[in-house]
């Protein structure tokens, strides 16, 4: 009988909400004990406590010291991941960190070394890996269907409400590179089993600048990878409010023996309602909310499954499983580092206009 891991969450904002849903769901299923949430926003804590019923703390250190969880998930703004992750690791707590693991390669290495020193699980939320269509891409690549992969192309584009309305206070600290490209870079690396060698990027600052926000509108990244594989990634977060989905995304991969293309946005279901004032696509693969027969809310989709994977890994470890046995079965710190190296190099290339060697 698997032990139930005790879990806390740090950061209960827009995406932290997904963590809360995942652990409420898992607790209902008897797969974890969901203890508490820490966030510096006390009004938000009240709202989340009302909805999800866990204990709340304004100070994450106090939460970790009092609750003594087996694992903690971190969904604070990107530039705060490092300090908070290290604080949890110092207390001997397994960690699951939102992407990017950190916005510097040195910060990622510091986190990786600390987790390894403590014998702790360090998992990164690269949830594109859990999309069933991307799992299929990965499976076909592992079976050799592509032959030798030669190149890939991915795009990911958010509606402008993301930097403009979601978090104008820290959009300038992030970018379409940190927020979006990092997902697709990890996805391609995982499918092609390769690492970046050099990076060249170009970008534009027009639309957000016109709204008084100092952040990149769009970035085009060209990555040369090991084994003569190349990857191009175009990202932006300035799509018009009328666009049919919050995110437009997809990936295509070409090898010596085959090609596969996945439209990860338009899965074939479209609507148009007067109240919305626009056409809309429905990506139920990412997130869905239904009711079970007892009338309880049930959450599903790969956004939830990626987080649930952490709880399942913790249960495996609590039952006596070894960290080594999980190697390669989840996005780990080294995956976080490799993706961060590429995105950090893309920003260096944007700043200098040069090709950046990351070997
Ligand atoms: N995996 C994904 O696809 C995905 C999607 C969206 C966001 N994210 C990531 O999730 C993270 C959070 O993004 P978000 O959209 O939820 O941002 P957000 O601003 O909505 O939420 C961040 C929360 O962290 C809290 N916070 C800030 N400092 C804190 C501290 N010191 N201690 C405790 N809480 C603190 C804030 O009060 C806020 O509630 C980011 O790293 C983002 O890149 C990932």
């Amino acid at each position: 009988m698997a032990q139930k891991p005790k879990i806390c969450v740090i950061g209960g904002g827009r995406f932290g909400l997904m963590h809360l849903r995942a652990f409420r769901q898992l607790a209902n299923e008897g797969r974890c004990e969901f203890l508490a949430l820490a966030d510096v926003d006390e009004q938000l804590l009240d709202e989340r406590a009302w909805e999800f019923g866990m204990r709340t703390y304004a100070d994450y250190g106090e939460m970790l010291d009092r609750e003594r969880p087996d694992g903690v998930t971190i969904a604070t703004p990107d530039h705060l991941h490092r300090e908070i992750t290290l604080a949890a690791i110092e207390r001997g707590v397994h960690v699951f960190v939102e992407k990017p693991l950190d916005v510097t390669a040195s910060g990622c290495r510091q986190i990786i070394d600390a987790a390894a020193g403590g014998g702790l699980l360090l998992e990164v939320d690269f949830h594109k890996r859990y999309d069933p269509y991307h799992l299929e891409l990965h499976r076909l690549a592992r079976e050799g269907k592509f032959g030798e992969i030669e190149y890939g192309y991915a795009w990911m584009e958010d509606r402008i409400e993301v930097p403009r309305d979601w978090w104008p206070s820290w959009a300038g600290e992030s970018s379409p590179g940190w927020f979006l490209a990092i997902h697709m870079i990890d996805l391609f690396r995982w499918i092609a089993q390769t690492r970046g060698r050099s990076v060249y990027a170009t970008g534009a600052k027009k639309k957000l600048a016109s709204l008084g926000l100092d952040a990149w509108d769009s970035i085009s990244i060209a990555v040369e990878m090991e084994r003569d594989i190349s990857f191009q990634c175009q990202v932006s977060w300035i799509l018009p409010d009328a666009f049919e989905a919050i995110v437009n995304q997809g990936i295509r991969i070409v090898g010596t023996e085959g090609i596969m293309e996945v439209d990860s946005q338009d899965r074939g279901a479209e609507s148009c309602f007067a109240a919305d004032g626009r056409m809309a696509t429905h990506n139920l693969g990412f997130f869905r909310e239904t009711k079970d027969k007892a009338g309880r809310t049930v959450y599903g989709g790969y956004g939830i499954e990626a987080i649930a994977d952490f709880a399942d890994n913790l249960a495996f470890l609590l039952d006596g499983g070894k960290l080594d046995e999980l190697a390669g079965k989840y996005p780990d710190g080294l995956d976080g580092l490799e993706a961060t190296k590429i995105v950090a190099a893309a920003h260096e290339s944007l700043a200098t206009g040069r090709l950046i060697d990351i070997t």
Side-chain angles (χ1 to χ4, degrees):
M1 173 68 184
Q3 289 193 50
K4 283 190 208 173
K6 299 190 186 87
I7 295 177
C8 288
V9 173
I10 303 175
R14 281 186 179 269
F15 209 75
L17 180 60
M18 197 69 116
H19 294 222
L20 304 183
R21 287 168 171 159
F23 297 129
R24 171 54 48 228
Q25 175 71 30
L26 293 179
N28 286 347
E29 292 169 3
R31 287 162 64 191
C32 82
E33 273 184 59
F34 179 27
L35 304 178
L37 164 70
D39 197 294
V40 288
D41 181 338
E42 302 215 14
Q43 188 187 334
L44 181 105
L45 284 179
D46 288 345
E47 288 167 19
R48 299 298 194 226
W50 185 82
E51 188 175 352
F52 293 98
M54 72 274 135
R55 290 182 285 281
T56 59
Y57 294 81
D59 178 334
Y60 70 82
E62 186 190 340
M63 176 180 77
L64 295 174
D65 292 337
R66 283 215 196 168
E67 301 284 346
R68 305 179 73 79
D70 299 303
V72 67
T73 69
I74 294 151
T76 57
D78 300 354
H79 56 287
L80 301 177
H81 292 176
R82 186 175 61 89
E83 169 195 328
I84 296 175
T85 305
L86 288 170
I89 290 172
E90 270 166 27
R91 289 168 168 86
V93 180
H94 299 287
V95 285
F96 175 91
V97 189
E98 270 309 321
K99 44 54 71 171
L101 176 55
D102 183 45
V103 289
T104 64
S106 59
C108 291
R109 288 196 187 94
Q110 206 183 345
I111 295 170
I112 291 166
D113 290 348
L120 296 168
L121 174 67
L122 166 59
E123 184 160 352
V124 182
D125 188 8
F126 284 130
H127 61 214
K128 299 290 170 211
R129 293 189 185 193
Y130 297 76
D131 180 324
Y133 292 83
H134 300 162
L135 282 163
E136 181 71 349
L137 268 172
H138 183 260
R139 184 182 70 78
L140 294 170
R142 295 280 65 69
E143 285 179 2
K145 283 279 176 50
F146 289 92
E148 285 189 58
I149 289 178
E150 295 202 0
Y151 65 90
Y153 167 63
W155 64 98
M156 199 167 171
E157 298 149 339
D158 275 355
R159 274 201 307 245
I160 193 163
E161 70 197 66
V162 172
R164 186 194 60 203
D165 306 340
W166 283 18
W167 14 262
S169 65
W170 63 275
E173 307 257 15
S174 184
S175 76
W178 290 120
F179 194 60
L180 303 173
I182 198 149
H183 267 310
M184 293 311 200
I185 288 164
D186 174 72
L187 179 62
F188 182 73
R189 275 199 59 247
W190 176 62
I191 293 166
Q193 299 282 296
T194 182
R195 299 196 310 169
R197 292 174 55 83
S198 67
V199 180
Y200 181 73
T202 52
K205 287 186 174 184
K206 296 176 185 171
K207 180 70 184 173
L208 293 173
S210 76
L211 302 175
L213 267 175
D214 181 18
W216 290 100
D217 286 349
S218 59
I219 306 180
S220 299
I221 305 173
V223 191
E224 183 225 341
M225 296 193 157
E226 288 175 347
R227 305 199 318 279
D228 294 331
I229 297 172
S230 63
F231 179 61
Q232 315 269 330
C233 186
Q234 289 189 305
V235 288
S236 71
W237 50 10
I238 53 158
L239 294 194
D241 289 299
F243 188 72
E244 62 190 4
I246 185 72
V247 52
N248 188 35
Q249 53 188 335
I251 186 166
R252 60 198 302 277
I253 293 181
V254 175
T256 54
E257 308 302 324
I259 174 173
M260 185 163 172
E261 301 185 344
V262 177
D263 184 336
S264 313
Q265 183 256 129
D266 183 352
R267 312 284 173 127
E270 257 193 324
S271 66
C272 184
F273 298 112
D276 298 338
R278 64 183 166 216
M279 298 291 293
T281 53
H282 300 253
N283 183 359
L284 297 178
F286 173 60
F287 177 70
R288 56 187 177 274
E289 192 175 328
T290 52
K291 297 275 183 204
D292 67 12
K293 291 191 193 303
R296 289 185 311 189
T297 302
V298 177
Y299 302 109
Y302 66 82
I304 295 287
E305 284 156 18
I307 301 167
D309 187 53
F310 176 61
D312 291 343
N313 284 338
L314 287 182
F316 175 81
L317 295 175
L318 290 177
D319 271 359
K322 298 281 172 276
L323 211 43
D324 289 353
E325 296 172 75
L326 291 173
K329 295 180 179 160
Y330 64 96
D332 66 10
L334 286 173
D335 293 317
L337 168 66
E338 289 302 323
T340 284
K341 275 164 58 181
I342 292 171
V343 178
H347 285 89
E348 192 183 337
S349 180
L350 286 171
T352 62
R354 292 198 340 256
L355 179 77
I356 308 298
D357 187 339
I358 55 168
T359 50

